[in-house]
Amino acid sequence: MSYIERNGDELYVEGISCRQLAADYGTPLFAYSRASIEAAWKSFDAALGAALGAGSKSHLICYAMKANSNLAIINMLARLGSGFDIVSGGELQRVRAGGGDMAKVVFSGVGKSRSEMAMALEAGIRCFNIESTAEVEVLAEVAAAHGVVAPVSVRVNPDVDAMTHPYISTGLRDNKFGISVEQAEAAYRCIADKASLKAIGMDCHIGSQLTDISPYRSALQRLLLLCDKLEQQGINLHHLDLGGGQGIRYKDETTLDLNDWAQAMTDEIGTRELEIIVEPGRSIVGNAGVLLTQVNYLKHSDDKNFAVVDAAMNDLIRPALYSAWQDIVPVRQSSTQTRLYDVVGPVCESADFLGKDRQLGLTSGDLLAVLSAGAYAFCMSSNYNSRPRAAEVMVDGTNAYLIREREQIESLFASEKLLPA
Ligand code: LLP
């Protein structure tokens, strides 16, 4: 079921037309469907629940909030019982402000600072996903200074090719993430020697926008071999965190069937008594959002047509950064003659495009919707060219809620200071 679809000529997010949303809140505007986000989370939950069956094993979804960390979304997911995968002190505080349960928070990332570690220890998070042997030492010190035992998992870099864009591949030996299988064994022994650390899990995350189960399977097999080896040495883990990475359909990708994926994972795990944690981000929010933008100018030359819109690379950097393709559709179907357009923003960079070579029938003033803009969109936006960041709105049936006000220009430089005269 699609929560963002056309009804007659008009594009709708649930029960409200995009035209209405743009009129009420202005553009550029991110609009999300609550039902879509909740359905995606629930289908993940159901797939894992079904694959694990009625046995004693449990699972926990820790939404990777880097994909979209708006407090309203955190709060919606917390109400469903979600946990959260965080990567900074800022994200920790967002979980708190959004009403999330700290006991369901896992903390990933290669560069956790001492103060972030202290903050997370004080908050009582579920687990630190450790990414290097140097981090083992630092966390042991910080936990000892706090007089607590830190629960840890080692992020294993299984050296598998996730077959995705190189910038979002994370499980190859060359990537900065995690610890190789060989070194991980030593890291667990080192953790076992520290009174202020307790190894409770093992994790991995091999990349993002994955559309095939096989890299997950290869990664898991490598992790399980290591788990078994550790068990023989008396190191018994409680959970296995499989990371996120499940791809969504931007164009014509065949995405993973979550039930098949969950079944494949639980088949590999077999009778081992391990709780399963997952960290999906994109697959929960990606297709639940659109970026609405208005065409300000049409520019035609002999061999090129440009539609200059009011959203730019500062609002959505994925096309510029990864050459990512996101569909761009008119908010209202029109009979205007179509042409091949590059849809570009007002920022002074040639990389400032939302889409290239799009067949569209446009008139100045028209509204366009960039689809699949729920993940890695607003959260990666910036103030480049002193552009205030867009507003965000959550649609719930026929109600819309402003969940982030449009940024005011004054706030962009409110914390800046002039030099003394
Ligand atoms: N867990 C860890 C440790 C991660 O680093 C990530 C994403 C996730 C979970 C969630 O992965 P997902 O389910 O969303 O694929 N900005 C890029 C994507 C970067 C992903 C970074 N890590 C993009 O726009 O495609």
Side-chain angles (χ1 to χ4, degrees), residues 44 62-67 85-87 108-109 129 131 155 164-165 167-168 170 177 203-210 216 241-247 250 278-285 317-318 321-322 324 326 375-377 379-380:
F44 232 106
C62 291
Y63 166 63
M65 58 184 285
K66 63 171 80 69
D85 169 45
I86 64 166
V87 289
S108 303
N129 291 351
E131 303 237 12
R155 175 166 178 182
T164 184
H165 191 287
Y167 282 15
I168 50 178
T170 49
F177 299 100
D203 63 290
C204 78
H205 171 76
I206 55 174
S208 200
Q209 187 56 17
L210 273 61
Y216 282 104
D241 177 343
L242 306 174
Q246 291 75 13
Y250 285 99
V278 288
E279 303 169 357
R282 189 191 316 263
S283 59
I284 305 294
V285 289
I317 202 172
R318 302 190 70 256
L321 193 56
Y322 317 111
Q326 295 190 212
Y376 304 113
C379 59
M380 292 179 80

Side-chain angles (χ1 to χ4, degrees), residues 107 111-118 138 142:
F107 193 170
K112 303 173 194 81
S113 69
R114 284 172 187 263
S115 65
E116 286 174 324
M117 288 173 174
V138 174
V142 177

Side-chain angles (χ1 to χ4, degrees), residues 110-362:
V110 293
K112 303 173 194 81
S113 69
R114 284 172 187 263
S115 65
E116 286 174 324
M117 288 173 174
M119 202 192 283
L121 285 169
E122 280 157 24
I125 65 162
R126 189 184 203 90
C127 194
F128 288 85
N129 291 351
I130 284 190
E131 303 237 12
S132 64
T133 43
E135 191 186 337
V136 171
E137 299 298 329
V138 174
L139 182 60
E141 276 174 37
V142 177
H146 275 72
V148 293
V149 176
V152 303
S153 159
V154 171
R155 175 166 178 182
V156 176
N157 181 327
D159 195 27
V160 297
D161 185 357
M163 297 180 285
T164 184
H165 191 287
Y167 282 15
I168 50 178
S169 256
T170 49
L172 279 171
R173 205 173 268 277
D174 291 359
N175 300 131
K176 68 176 175 179
F177 299 100
I179 304 181
S180 69
V181 176
E182 304 76 46
Q183 288 186 351
E185 196 180 333
Y188 276 105
R189 280 199 296 272
C190 177
I191 290 164
D193 288 342
K194 309 264 187 213
S196 60
L197 300 180
K198 166 122 185 80
I200 62 163
M202 186 182 292
D203 63 290
C204 78
H205 171 76
I206 55 174
S208 200
Q209 187 56 17
L210 273 61
T211 51
D212 192 358
I213 294 180
S214 60
Y216 282 104
R217 206 191 279 275
S218 313
L220 180 53
Q221 287 165 350
R222 291 177 196 186
L223 261 66
L224 288 171
L225 277 178
L226 181 56
C227 280
D228 294 346
K229 242 177 158 178
L230 292 172
E231 199 176 2
Q232 287 157 16
Q233 299 170 30
I235 300 172
N236 292 302
L237 302 178
H238 168 263
H239 77 248
L240 201 55
D241 177 343
L242 306 174
Q246 291 75 13
I248 61 168
R249 178 170 288 189
Y250 285 99
K251 194 178 196 178
D252 49 12
E253 301 89 339
T254 311
T255 53
L256 292 175
D257 179 295
L258 277 185
N259 290 307
D260 292 349
W261 170 83
Q263 193 60 54
M265 297 299 99
T266 52
D267 285 350
E268 293 292 337
I269 294 168
T271 54
R272 296 174 184 88
E273 283 298 320
L274 290 163
E275 179 190 29
I276 297 183
I277 295 182
V278 288
E279 303 169 357
R282 189 191 316 263
S283 59
I284 305 294
V285 289
N287 276 335
V290 293
L291 169 59
L292 301 180
T293 182
Q294 185 166 40
V295 177
N296 279 347
Y297 298 100
L298 295 175
K299 264 180 89 165
H300 307 288
S301 64
D302 289 346
D303 47 4
K304 203 83 198 161
N305 302 301
F306 292 100
V308 184
V309 299
D310 64 0
M313 67 188 291
N314 75 296
D315 300 297
L316 182 70
I317 202 172
R318 302 190 70 256
L321 193 56
Y322 317 111
S323 303
W325 189 96
Q326 295 190 212
D327 206 0
I328 303 177
V329 299
V331 156
R332 185 194 190 106
Q333 298 277 32
S334 80
S335 50
T336 314
Q337 187 212 338
T338 67
R339 298 178 197 233
L340 212 52
Y341 281 100
D342 280 5
V343 180
V344 301
V347 162
C348 303
E349 298 256 359
S350 293
D352 179 26
F353 65 93
L354 301 179
K356 288 192 170 168
D357 296 330
R358 305 303 173 91
Q359 196 72 43
L360 293 162
L362 297 177

